[in-house]
Amino acid sequence: MDYQTVAAGACGRIGEAAEQFLVEGEPYSIGRYGNGHINDTFLLCTKAPGQEGRRGRYILQRMNTHVFADPEGLMKNISGVTAYLREQIQKSGGDADRETLTLVKTRQGQDYYVDSLGSWWRMYLFITDATGYDVAENQEDFYQSGKAFGHFQRLLDQYPVEKLVETIPDFHNTPKRLEALSRAARADVKGRAKGVERELAFVMDRREEISKVMDALRQGEIPYRVTHNDTKLNNVLLDDHTRRALCVIDLDTVMPGTAVFDFGDSIRFGANTAAEDELDLAKVSLSLPLFKAYTQGFLEGCANRLTDGEIRMLPWGAKLMTLECGMRFLTDYLEGDRYFRIHRPEHNLDRARVQFALAADMERKWDGMKGLAEGL
Ligand code: ADP
Ligand code: GN1
Ligand code: MG
């Protein structure tokens, strides 16, 4: 490999992997890209042979096979879902290369490459002139992201569920997340439980509520749907020119689930007035105007197909996704930071504290959230 730049933090057999995919031009630079917590994501640029200047851009990802135990099943999901979305987008006259992810094949005609160290790699066309935001800069952007995730949900409304592998079993099974946290606290492999008694108590005080949405699903009060399950603001790209929602990305967790949790996960991330890992908890709060903007966008994007039962559950979706994410960060902290990528020693604990502060603020603003969700 003699690329001009190979970024610090490159991993595995990245050069070997880059050369397996059918790109236009020849690879000349590669660097880490984006702020995802799970996969190793790189931007690969190519140039025409013997010439200077960029020819093409691609996203090269090393998949996280610790998190996704069945990468082959996962890639089947992504290939099926993206092909289906492509068809729908083309039917409605859209630009499928920008409005959904497009997998780039390997020279062997596969959707992924397993390198000589056993790492799994995939490549997507880079979606140009578009940005995934880590904070909602204004209500309109957040409204747009709600529209995108709602629309995504509607496009997949008729997708054959039996084609989907459950890439992470019990991903949003909130009572199981609570059990996992309790187990991690009991095992206390890193000796960290003593320092998080307040956070554990915060969760335990709310244990009766934790299964509220799961119970509604099990009792058939709300339907299972094909959902995204990781609806963070930076998993949707907005068009840089129009600032309108363009493409929903990060399709690793598309599985049967509930629209209530897709809604809730977006709120926990994007309607927080502080970053997910803010150290000053006084800055953490739920913005009701952002909550309103997202709700409007999501309901419109779903073409108002959510049932009354789902709409009534939306505030619970927000609170339980916030508690769940807090529990997951805290579990990972107790277990020694094996799941989420961290950038400082107590990063997962800081993240958990933010989620719990946000859940507490949602309790203070509960009537406002209910009024907005049911009143729109
Ligand atoms: P993770 O699961 O680690 O969050 P993502 O698939 O979300 O990984 O990718 C990480 C980041 O890379 C995204 O937040 C986005 O900024 C960027 N990204 C991913 N795929 C594309 C793409 N096809 N075009 C442009 N940017 C992308
Ligand atoms: C992870 O992959 P990314 O960074 O978009 C995680 C989500 C969490 C989120 C917290 C597969 O999302 O479930 O809510 O971090 N994804 C997976 O920021 O676990
Ligand atoms: Mg992501």
Side-chain angles (χ1 to χ4, degrees), residues 246-277:
L246 181 68
C247 182
V248 167
I249 61 169
D250 202 345
L251 306 179
D252 294 334
T253 49
V254 172
M255 290 181 279
T258 160
V260 169
F261 281 160
D262 267 8
F263 170 88
D265 202 21
S266 285
I267 297 297
R268 90 150 180 92
F269 187 85
N272 183 357
T273 53
E276 197 182 50
D277 57 356

Side-chain angles (χ1 to χ4, degrees), residues 35-38 67-68 168 171 230 232 234-235 250 253 265 268 276 325 328-329 339-340:
N35 290 323
H37 292 341
I38 302 296
V67 165
F68 298 105
I168 304 181
F171 190 53
D230 189 359
K232 260 160 90 159
N234 63 16
N235 286 332
D250 202 345
T253 49
D265 202 21
R268 90 150 180 92
E276 197 182 50
C325 201
R328 292 174 63 198
F329 286 143
Y339 187 97
F340 296 102

